[in-house]
Amino acid sequence: MVVDAAVVGAGPNGLAAAVTMARAGLSVRVYEAAGTPGGGARTSELIQPGYLHDICSAVHPMALASPFFREFKLDERIGMFVPEVSFAHPLPDSAAGIGYRDLERTTTALGRDGAAYRDLMKPLVEHISGVVDLTTHGLMRVPRDPVGLLKYGLRSLEQGSVLRTRRFEEQQGPAMIAGLAGHVVGRQPALASAAAGLMLGALSHTVGWPIPTGGSQAIIDAMVADLEAHGGQIVTGHRVTSLAELGSARTVLLDVAAPQLEGLADGRLPSGYAAALRNFKTGDGVSKVDFILSEDVPWADPDVGQAGTVHLGGTRRQVAISEAQVSGGKHPDNPFVLASQPSSFDRSRLPPGSHRQILWTYTHVPAGSTRDMTEAVTAQLERYAPGFADVVVDSKATTAADLERYNPNYVGGDFSAGKMTVPQLLARPVPSMNPWRTPLDGVYLCSASTPPGPAVHGMCGYLAAERALKDVFRLPVPDLGPQ
Ligand SMILES: Cc1cc2nc3c(=O)[nH]c(=O)nc-3n(C[C@H](O)[C@H](O)[C@H](O)COP(=O)(O)OP(=O)(O)OC[C@H]3O[C@@H](n4cnc5c(N)ncnc54)[C@H](O)[C@@H]3O)c2cc1C
């Protein structure tokens, strides 16, 4: 059967594109290389039966904030637990920095630096719709909230430069901001990571940082169910190697990292565009370690146990040193580790009656790293949770090189599908007001290599589908709510 739309890749963006096209009344077929749909949002029994681990993404502020998921009404389709403590940042010589959902509570806990933290975050919290609108559509568009943009831009410039040292007097505030920026792999300070970090910080004090019941897979299952209910099909176990395999689909949406596009196009891309794709740089990698624990993590500061997400790496200076080592091709002695403790909030991740816990962690490593980071991550956890090693029942490491084998979009373990720098946010993967449209008629790129970039928000797919509906079918974006 000739379909209206062929989608390559069933990650959150490919599925967002597929759902949008199917809801517009078009026939849709999705091709996925792996055995199941999901990309960076799968959950599986990675280590032992009955223990559900998120293989990639785990915590989903963007699933509540993203315009696509708001239209899709994801929060009505799946359960999501929003912890009162969005994130915690334990420190070697002082109490942990705690990012409560309540901004005032956060600032009170910060004591002397509370006012400085409030002054940084409050304007972003007040302009959260404008900040989200900007960060979920890409930088190449007229901002809906210029005042919000100004406040966001100035604060990003401050925290992304040497000016950041002026704001705080104590250790917690700066470390908390460095930890938020650490969701982007790369040297600190830098404008792109500061901007992403401040956006995540503002979300932590508004919608919060939710953890889906049953794991990230629940998001994918909701999208697949909607797609299938509207006639879409998913073909799994089919890695597309040439666009020619897709027959005469009227439009093609590619949830593939930009470097793949040239190969898929079999030499049909204009030389300038192909050269731009070759210049689009991938970043350093991440390496995962998942754990099954006999009990809760024995955090030295018990408040850390209330957090959905924990940033480990110490002071702002220590985080900057660690990130600089990764950029320089080294595995850091004091790695920056992101951890999430989902089973503290969602017991469905465990076999019935189990009193154990699961812990999700990843850390930054040089691109293509094959190093098992279990020892380094365990040592980092021991620093802030003495006795951690004694509660480990089992663990599994996934190196950066393994991640690329698992998902071809993660070149060298780069989970952003392209390095996150300001030039690469303006040219993702090429400078254009419509970066989703490729020079090939009816072919659109819709992965995290396009705006707005990485995270589970579905916006790259949604925005690409919006363009394809308009260009190829002269159709408006359909209603996406449950029906
Ligand atoms: C360890 C880790 C932790 C993360 N944590 C978070 C988090 O907590 N919160 C968050 O929001 N984000 C997180 N992310 C990032 C998030 O997972 C990604 O940004 C997001 O999944 C990107 O979605 P996507 O649809 O663009 O691509 P992907 O999710 O990468 O999906 C692409 C899909 O396309 C398939 N594919 C690629 N090429 C082909 C081909 N030629 N033929 C057929 N199929 C193909 C792949 O197999 C894959 O299934 C994390 C990622 C990793 C790796």
Side-chain angles (χ1 to χ4, degrees), residues 9 11-13 32-33 39-40 42 57-59 240 255 260 407 409 415 448 455-456:
N13 283 314
E32 167 54 49
R42 296 191 186 94
S57 62
V59 184
V240 175
D255 184 7
Q260 260 201 71
N407 181 343
N409 283 14
F415 70 179
V456 177

Side-chain angles (χ1 to χ4, degrees), residues 382-396:
E382 274 283 338
R383 272 183 207 121
Y384 300 100
F388 172 77
D390 300 334
V391 305
V392 173
V393 174
D394 210 345
S395 68
K396 178 172 167 52

Side-chain angles (χ1 to χ4, degrees), residues 116-400:
Y117 187 89
R118 184 191 297 109
D119 174 69
L120 183 66
M121 284 293 177
K122 196 165 181 195
L124 308 182
V125 165
E126 286 169 351
H127 287 269
I128 192 68
S129 308
V131 172
V132 167
D133 182 70
L134 179 81
T135 51
T136 55
H137 287 86
L139 302 184
M140 301 283 269
R141 84 169 201 157
V142 182
R144 295 259 164 93
D145 174 4
V147 176
L149 171 64
L150 184 67
K151 290 173 189 278
Y152 179 49
L154 289 174
R155 282 164 176 75
S156 301
L157 281 171
E158 177 201 294
Q159 289 302 313
S161 70
V162 288
L163 295 176
R164 69 185 186 154
T165 54
R166 291 185 174 179
R167 180 171 289 270
F168 296 107
E169 293 174 34
E170 311 268 358
Q171 304 238 319
Q172 288 137 308
M176 286 164 76
I177 303 302
L180 290 167
H183 285 247
V184 169
V185 184
R187 281 183 195 273
Q188 293 191 14
L191 185 51
S193 57
L198 288 177
M199 186 262 297
L200 287 170
L203 289 174
S204 81
H205 302 305
T206 49
V207 294
W209 286 11
I211 292 177
T213 308
S216 301
Q217 184 73 46
I219 300 175
I220 296 303
D221 291 348
M223 295 169 93
V224 169
D226 193 277
L227 175 65
E228 291 179 345
H230 292 87
Q233 305 169 331
I234 304 183
V235 180
T236 52
H238 183 137
R239 180 163 180 172
V240 175
T241 54
S242 160
L243 295 181
E245 286 167 48
L246 304 174
S248 38
R250 291 174 69 195
T251 186
V252 173
L253 294 129
L254 300 170
D255 184 7
V256 307
Q260 260 201 71
L261 179 54
E262 204 182 348
L264 289 172
D266 300 317
R268 287 195 295 134
L269 291 175
S271 58
Y273 186 87
L277 289 185
R278 268 175 252 136
N279 284 335
F280 185 70
K281 296 191 174 45
T282 50
D284 281 309
V286 298
S287 182
K288 267 200 89 205
V289 189
D290 286 282
F291 296 94
I292 297 176
L293 308 177
S294 58
E295 54 191 80
D296 293 348
V297 178
W299 298 110
D301 183 335
D303 287 348
V304 178
Q306 308 301 311
T309 302
V310 185
H311 300 149
L312 299 151
T315 63
R316 173 170 66 194
R317 188 161 177 277
Q318 288 172 323
V319 173
I321 291 171
S322 166
E323 291 298 283
Q325 286 176 331
V326 173
S327 288
K330 295 201 178 100
H331 291 82
D333 319 318
N334 172 49
F336 179 67
V337 175
L338 283 102
S340 171
Q341 16 199 23
S343 53
S344 302
F345 309 99
D346 173 17
R347 302 302 289 175
S348 77
R349 309 290 182 99
L350 307 172
S354 171
H355 296 290
R356 290 178 171 175
Q357 297 284 8
I358 56 167
L359 185 72
W360 168 101
T361 74
Y362 74 84
T363 186
H364 300 174
V365 290
S369 165
T370 54
R371 188 177 293 184
D372 176 336
M373 294 298 285
T374 307
E375 206 177 304
V377 168
T378 304
Q380 187 63 297
L381 278 150
E382 274 283 338
R383 272 183 207 121
Y384 300 100
F388 172 77
D390 300 334
V391 305
V392 173
V393 174
D394 210 345
S395 68
K396 178 172 167 52
T398 309
T399 68

